[in-house]
Amino acid sequence: MKKLLLSLALSLGALSATPAMAAAPAFSASQMSQVKIKDLSFKEVMREFYSGEMVSFFIDDETIEAVPHVGLGRVNSDGERTVALMNPVVEYKNNVGEARYLVIIEKVKVDSNTGSLVSCHACKATADIYSFKKLNNGLFQLVSRTPKKVEPTGVSGRIMLDEKSIKNTMQPLGKEITGSVLKNGSFYHGIFVQWWDVLQLPENDFINLYGLGDAGMENGVYDEDSPLYYAYEGTFKVLSENTNTMYYPIMLTYKGEKPTEDYERIEHVNYSKIMKFNPVKKAYE
């Protein structure tokens, strides 16, 4: 079990976006630029991208009712319906200082009988992510989007894409790529596992999420004075010194007490490793 938890810390984020890239169509900036909407309201975004899919649907869930939402499609064989939620718009600047606006449409599952969120620990939500720029005439023009729905890491039926974390960690991730490095985490049988996800926001390619690696762990099963207790923390630094690099490497540093891979020992650690993005595999390695 412990070895499995460490494997989860190393690979959870990598499950998010790679499958979505497999059948992705070719990116076309000219096709993206043809999409223009008058504002970034939930109403306008949903009418532009989900016309013909929206349905009225009974909701009995405070977390869903608190944000803009609408039903999508038909009830599936499990008696669940997809409901689209719109998170707050994130304003950011691209690598040349131009204002951009990030729209995240989260798609959750709701029980068609009770109207409540399907929120088991392993239940997943998906997301469609869009970036826009504002034109001089006041319209918002699409810059890029996810190629199709992606599965960000999440828990209890919701995605882990917090708008504050995205904005606070927004920075250049490559020569022409802005994005965020996000720390996510979850409890597994008393052990707190954390991992890094990278949100890339290119303007000449599709938006996507990629797993970066382990971000730390704490064994909360034991008191801190127990010889079986351990905790270590991961930090990151984007190595942007070479501004001509298409994708900047990211250095991960670990400090604290960490179990060995075979869990035979718990050792004090203080080391770093560099992760590079492989554009062919669409993965950090």
Side-chain angles (χ1 to χ4, degrees):
M1 175 61 71
K2 290 182 178 178
K3 191 170 184 179
L4 174 60
L5 288 168
L6 184 56
S7 297
L8 282 169
L10 295 171
S11 62
L12 254 173
L15 299 177
S16 57
T18 304
M21 295 300 296
F27 180 87
S28 171
S30 61
Q31 288 183 1
M32 296 285 170
S33 65
Q34 293 174 18
V35 178
K36 301 178 181 70
I37 56 180
K38 71 175 186 178
D39 58 49
L40 299 180
S41 65
F42 183 63
K43 177 180 177 179
E44 291 300 315
V45 171
M46 295 306 295
R47 284 182 173 181
E48 175 63 37
F49 297 107
Y50 304 92
S51 181
E53 299 180 51
M54 294 179 287
V55 294
S56 177
F57 182 61
F58 167 70
I59 299 293
D60 185 20
D61 189 287
E62 292 182 357
T63 61
I64 295 176
E65 292 177 312
V67 297
H69 63 274
V70 68
L72 292 179
R74 299 179 179 180
V75 177
N76 65 20
S77 59
D78 293 325
E80 300 169 352
R81 183 183 299 278
T82 299
V83 174
L85 317 175
M86 184 169 171
N87 295 318
V89 176
V90 178
E91 182 177 353
Y92 67 98
K93 293 186 183 298
N94 65 8
N95 281 18
V96 293
E98 298 170 336
R100 295 291 184 262
Y101 304 87
L102 194 68
V103 173
I104 301 173
I105 301 297
E106 181 179 0
K107 295 179 178 179
V108 302
K109 296 295 184 183
V110 169
D111 188 291
S112 61
N113 295 313
T114 65
S116 60
L117 177 70
V118 179
S119 59
C120 66
H121 187 79
C123 295
K124 291 185 177 181
T126 60
D128 297 328
I129 306 173
Y130 309 87
S131 62
F132 291 87
K133 67 179 180 180
K134 191 172 185 179
L135 303 177
N136 291 333
N137 61 8
L139 296 178
F140 288 85
Q141 178 180 294
L142 183 65
V143 174
S144 184
R145 59 167 296 171
T146 45
K148 59 179 182 178
K149 60 185 181 181
V150 299
E151 293 186 0
T153 53
V155 67
S156 300
R158 298 296 303 271
I159 61 173
M160 290 181 170
L161 279 177
D162 177 68
E163 66 275 6
K164 291 183 180 178
S165 298
I166 292 174
K167 192 164 187 176
N168 289 342
T169 63
M170 191 73 69
Q171 62 186 291
L173 297 179
K175 183 178 179 181
E176 299 178 359
I177 302 173
T178 300
S180 295
V181 181
L182 307 169
K183 178 183 279 190
N184 288 316
S186 185
F187 282 94
Y188 295 89
H189 303 285
I191 299 178
F192 185 48
V193 180
Q194 296 178 291
W195 60 91
W196 297 111
D197 290 324
V198 178
L199 173 63
Q200 289 187 0
L201 301 171
E203 301 194 356
N204 57 357
D205 200 350
F206 290 105
I207 294 171
N208 226 315
L209 280 156
Y210 303 97
L212 180 62
D214 179 15
M217 188 183 298
E218 180 180 10
N219 186 348
V221 176
Y222 305 100
D223 294 331
E224 291 189 26
D225 58 355
S226 169
L228 295 175
Y229 172 86
Y230 60 84
Y232 65 94
E233 182 181 8
T235 57
F236 79 92
K237 180 182 179 182
V238 179
L239 304 179
S240 57
E241 290 81 3
N242 184 354
T243 56
N244 291 322
T245 304
M246 187 61 66
Y247 301 93
Y248 298 153
I250 300 176
M251 182 172 66
L252 301 180
T253 299
Y254 299 97
K255 294 181 180 181
E257 297 178 334
K258 183 178 181 180
T260 56
E261 289 188 9
D262 59 10
Y263 274 84
E264 292 297 319
R265 295 178 56 83
I266 297 174
E267 300 177 339
H268 293 276
V269 296
N270 186 354
Y271 70 94
S272 299
K273 65 178 181 179
I274 293 177
M275 306 294 290
K276 296 182 178 180
F277 185 73
N278 186 322
V280 176
K281 296 181 180 180
K282 297 292 184 180
Y284 283 91
E285 54 186 25

